[in-house]
Amino acid sequence: MSPMIAINKYIIVETIKEEMKTDSGLLLSEHDAEQFRYKKAEVITPGTEVKSIKAKDIIYYDKRAGYQMVLEGKACTIIREQDVVVVL
């Protein structure tokens, strides 16, 4: 089986489920966490024209961006490079 390759400015990511805490240590519910605009993810593969983001980078992206797909039996999200707001 050939590896997944994104083309152009698209990026294949796997969303990371975060445990959300306030500064005082209070855990937020999933409903409260859904109010945040951005999601954390690990880059599986950047597109052929993406220069500043590499595979295995941890990013935050706009949660309203992209679409879900199942690739090689794994739930992934396909986003555009412009939807990335932070690279850790």
Side-chain angles (χ1 to χ4, degrees), residues 76-88:
C76 301
T77 303
I78 313 300
I79 62 172
R80 295 177 195 214
E81 183 180 27
Q82 69 190 29
D83 298 320
V84 175
V85 294
V86 175
V87 179
L88 300 176

Side-chain angles (χ1 to χ4, degrees), residues 1-2 7-8 10-11 13 18 24-25 28 31 41 53 65 67 71 73-74 82 84 87:
M1 183 183 305
S2 64
I7 59 170
N8 296 323
Y10 287 96
I11 302 169
V13 300
E18 287 188 277
S24 62
L28 300 176
H31 174 72
I53 299 170
Y67 52 92
L71 299 169
K74 189 188 306 187
Q82 69 190 29
V84 175
V87 179

Side-chain angles (χ1 to χ4, degrees), residues 24-87:
S24 62
L26 180 66
L27 288 175
L28 300 176
S29 70
E30 266 190 55
H31 174 72
D32 291 332
E34 283 298 314
Q35 302 306 312
F36 291 101
R37 181 170 176 174
Y38 302 104
K39 284 187 174 182
K40 187 176 186 179
E42 180 178 354
V43 175
I44 296 172
T45 183
T48 54
E49 294 183 23
V50 175
K51 303 298 181 211
S52 59
I53 299 170
K54 311 273 184 282
K56 305 263 186 218
D57 279 351
I58 302 299
I59 63 166
Y60 280 92
Y61 69 95
D62 189 329
K63 74 177 183 181
R64 294 175 275 192
Y67 52 92
Q68 297 265 316
M69 289 183 71
V70 176
L71 299 169
E72 297 180 355
K74 189 188 306 187
C76 301
T77 303
I78 313 300
I79 62 172
R80 295 177 195 214
E81 183 180 27
Q82 69 190 29
D83 298 320
V84 175
V85 294
V86 175
V87 179

